[in-house]
Amino acid sequence: MNDAFNPMNLQSQNPALLLIDIQKGMDDAAYWGGNRNNPEAEANAAYLLEQWRARDLPVFHIQHSSQNPESRLHASQPGFAIKDEVRPLPDEPVILKNVNSAFIGTDLQERLKAQNIITVVLVGLTTNHCVSSTTRMAGNYGYNTLVVSDATATFDREGINGEHYDAETIHLTTLASLRDEFATIVTTEQLMARL
C-alpha cells in the first residue's frame, strides 16, 4: 500500500467501490458449500453503494461469468444476474470476469487509471475466493486497498484431509491473511466514519 495512504480521510482520495459477484446464484448455499456466514453482507454492501452514489464517488460492479454451463454463475443461468439490492444504474460500469480476480482478463485497471483512482474499497462474495484474489492483486498493484469485513461473506469448506471448516472460520482467517499485507480491514461503520 501507498505509504502516504491515510484511511482516516477517504473521500478526498476519490475511492472506488468494487462490488464483487453479488449475484443471485450465490443464494444457492448448498451449491457453494453450505452454511454461509454474515447474512447481512448484501445489506451492508447496498448501504455503502447508496452512500457512494450520494457522494458521487466511483462505483464498479464486478460480475462473474463462469465458463462452466452448470455453474450458478454461468450467463445462461438465472443466478448470473446481479442481486436487486445492488443492481447497477445505467451509467455504472459492469465488468465481466471469468476467473477469481477482477483484474485478470478485464479492463478494470485501465478504468481505474483513467480516473486517477488509487484507493479501492472491496465488498462482495466470497471472502476467500474472488474478494481475496482481487484484494491481493490490488495490493500488489499498489492500490490503497480496503476490505469491508461485514460486507463480505463465504461458505463452509472441506479441508485437504476431508475435515470441515465452517464459513465464519474461513472468513476470519482469510481476512487475517489479507490484513496489513494486502489491505486495511474495516467494518461498514468504521468505513463510514472515515468517509
Side-chain angles (χ1 to χ4, degrees):
M1 263 190 288
N2 187 324
D3 290 336
F5 176 51
N6 177 7
M8 296 307 294
N9 186 17
L10 272 182
Q11 189 164 341
S12 66
Q13 299 170 43
N14 194 37
L17 181 66
L18 275 54
L19 299 107
I20 300 172
D21 301 355
I22 307 178
Q23 293 166 250
K24 294 181 179 181
M26 289 294 185
D27 288 340
D28 186 353
Y31 179 83
W32 303 106
N35 190 37
R36 202 193 98 164
N37 77 319
N38 193 16
E40 299 302 313
E42 288 89 344
N44 287 327
Y47 171 74
L48 291 173
L49 177 57
E50 180 184 295
Q51 297 302 313
W52 248 251
R53 287 170 172 167
R55 290 164 172 78
D56 198 29
L57 293 170
V59 169
F60 295 88
H61 299 268
I62 313 298
Q63 186 174 21
H64 192 79
S65 180
S66 175
Q67 301 304 286
N68 174 8
E70 304 300 315
S71 171
R72 302 300 184 265
L73 304 183
H74 188 269
S76 67
Q77 301 279 352
F80 176 70
I82 292 175
K83 291 190 175 191
D84 294 342
E85 53 263 55
V86 292
R87 185 186 295 126
L89 295 178
D91 62 338
E92 292 174 347
V94 177
I95 296 174
L96 293 181
K97 66 176 179 61
N98 305 126
V99 295
N100 297 100
S101 173
F103 288 99
I104 298 291
T106 73
D107 64 351
L108 175 60
Q109 191 174 17
E110 288 77 12
R111 287 173 179 263
L112 294 172
K113 201 172 289 185
Q115 296 184 48
N116 296 311
I117 293 168
I118 60 168
T119 299
V120 293
V121 176
L122 282 69
V123 301
L125 306 168
T126 60
T127 317
N128 54 312
H129 288 131
C130 298
V131 173
S132 176
S133 297
T134 302
T135 299
R136 288 168 182 267
M137 286 199 71
N140 284 164
Y141 277 139
Y143 291 100
N144 304 319
T145 307
L146 296 94
V147 176
V148 187
S149 61
D150 58 357
T152 59
T154 193
F155 302 90
D156 284 7
R157 299 295 293 171
E158 183 177 310
I160 60 172
N161 298 309
E163 66 273 39
H164 176 80
Y165 294 105
D166 67 274
E168 185 67 6
T169 298
I170 296 292
H171 178 75
L172 292 174
T173 54
T174 299
L175 294 174
S177 297
L178 295 174
R179 187 180 65 175
D180 298 335
E181 185 76 18
F182 299 98
T184 299
I185 310 299
V186 294
T187 64
T188 298
E189 183 178 2
Q190 289 168 339
L191 181 65
M192 289 308 303
R194 300 171 184 191
L195 202 61

